[in-house]
Amino acid sequence: MGARLENPDKEVSLMKHEYANCSFCGGIVKERLVNVDYRTKNGLVIIENVPAGVCCQCNERYFTAEAAKIMEKLAYISKTPTRVVSVPIRRFSEY
Ligand SMILES: [Zn+2]
């Protein structure tokens, strides 16, 4: 697999899906593994190593229906997460 991995330490699998060119800029879209900030009604869940089509020019991301379905399931799964991190929150008006 020639894909660049954001988390090369993790065991990962690409879907080897062929993506259409970017609908915003027409750039070539290649499959990569990305981290997704997934917001649910219970709060934020970060999902690592999601196979996604990423535009080489503008970095727009495209998810297959299958990947989207798996992310939705993972976001609501009750199993203990891989790890938990704290996230700093800033208000725009602080600046
Ligand atoms: Zn693009």
Side-chain angles (χ1 to χ4, degrees), residues 14-85:
L14 291 175
M15 289 176 156
K16 298 199 173 86
H17 181 81
E18 290 292 324
Y19 295 84
N21 286 356
C22 181
S23 56
F24 290 95
C25 75
I28 292 167
V29 175
K30 286 189 177 166
E31 186 162 78
R32 303 210 184 290
L33 296 169
V34 302
N35 296 340
V36 176
D37 301 344
Y38 198 100
R39 276 159 211 283
T40 75
K41 58 180 189 290
N42 306 322
L44 175 66
V45 179
I46 296 171
I47 304 177
E48 292 185 325
N49 295 337
V50 180
V54 181
C55 175
C56 297
Q57 292 187 151
C58 75
N59 291 320
E60 181 65 22
R61 295 169 167 195
Y62 298 90
F63 297 103
T64 64
E66 191 188 358
K69 200 183 292 174
I70 291 170
M71 283 194 286
E72 195 183 352
K73 285 185 177 160
L74 281 169
Y76 289 101
I77 212 165
S78 58
K79 187 179 148 193
T80 307
T82 306
R83 63 186 192 282
V84 175
V85 298

